[in-house]
Amino acid sequence: MKRPASPNLLRLLPLIVVLFLACAAPLRAHDTYEVTMTATIRPATMDLVLTFAGATALRLTDAPPLRAPLTPEHFAALRPKLTAAASELFALTSAQKTLALRTTALRLTEENDIEFTLTYPRPAAGPLQFRPAFLARLGEGYGGLLEVADTAGHHLGWEMILSEKDAPTVTVPPAPAP
């Protein structure tokens, strides 16, 4: 047999809901101190996608700090500085050779984050080392998660990077036969 809810509890329910909503943290686009990094090894190339909060990405350049939310117009004006900074984000080593950055694409996400897509040649089979050079520029407290996979569905690594001295290494499988 169910007992009806207490009248006192029913009177408090709206207050509980209001308190819950008032205490809920506001939604943010991307944690200022966290960089998301995803590497995808393809048959002929490797894409490394990095997502930064807008203010964090600007710290990679000599641009003044943001005083207002990043707008598409402001992003367009900053694109050349951000593109120039892209080549210094990571130092990648495969088969004891540095991988040279081929192309850079930038976009402003719906959440006003800045996404860099860095394309490199496909690393050789064997160890691939990621050195996050950008963390030296950002300073203490910044870091993020690096995920590495290939298009065949192999998960090659997952690593927290908290310092420019961290240099995760994954093992790259041989390229698929053409």
Side-chain angles (χ1 to χ4, degrees), residues 129-152:
Q129 184 179 58
F130 293 82
R131 191 178 63 74
F134 70 90
L135 286 175
R137 178 113 184 176
L138 295 180
E140 192 173 328
Y142 289 87
L145 175 68
L146 170 67
E147 281 190 84
V148 184
D150 65 13
T151 54

Side-chain angles (χ1 to χ4, degrees), residues 30 34-35 50-54 56-57 60 89 113-114 116 134 138:
H30 199 89
E34 180 183 327
V35 179
L50 296 95
T51 306
F52 293 85
T56 303
L60 301 169
L89 294 176
D113 294 332
I114 296 177
F116 290 80
F134 70 90
L138 295 180

Side-chain angles (χ1 to χ4, degrees), residues 61-134:
T61 71
D62 61 357
L66 287 176
R67 303 213 186 286
L70 188 61
T71 64
E73 294 79 17
H74 196 210
F75 173 70
L78 292 167
R79 182 183 290 274
K81 289 181 184 231
L82 291 165
T83 301
S87 65
E88 298 175 3
L89 294 176
F90 264 93
L92 303 177
T93 307
S94 171
Q96 301 178 352
K97 293 180 184 171
T98 300
L99 286 181
L101 179 63
R102 283 188 178 168
T103 62
T104 300
L106 291 166
R107 81 178 184 98
L108 182 64
T109 70
E110 293 174 8
E111 297 83 20
N112 285 336
D113 294 332
I114 296 177
E115 184 180 274
F116 290 80
T117 300
L118 311 176
T119 301
Y120 296 87
R122 187 184 201 288
L128 169 63
Q129 184 179 58
F130 293 82
R131 191 178 63 74
F134 70 90

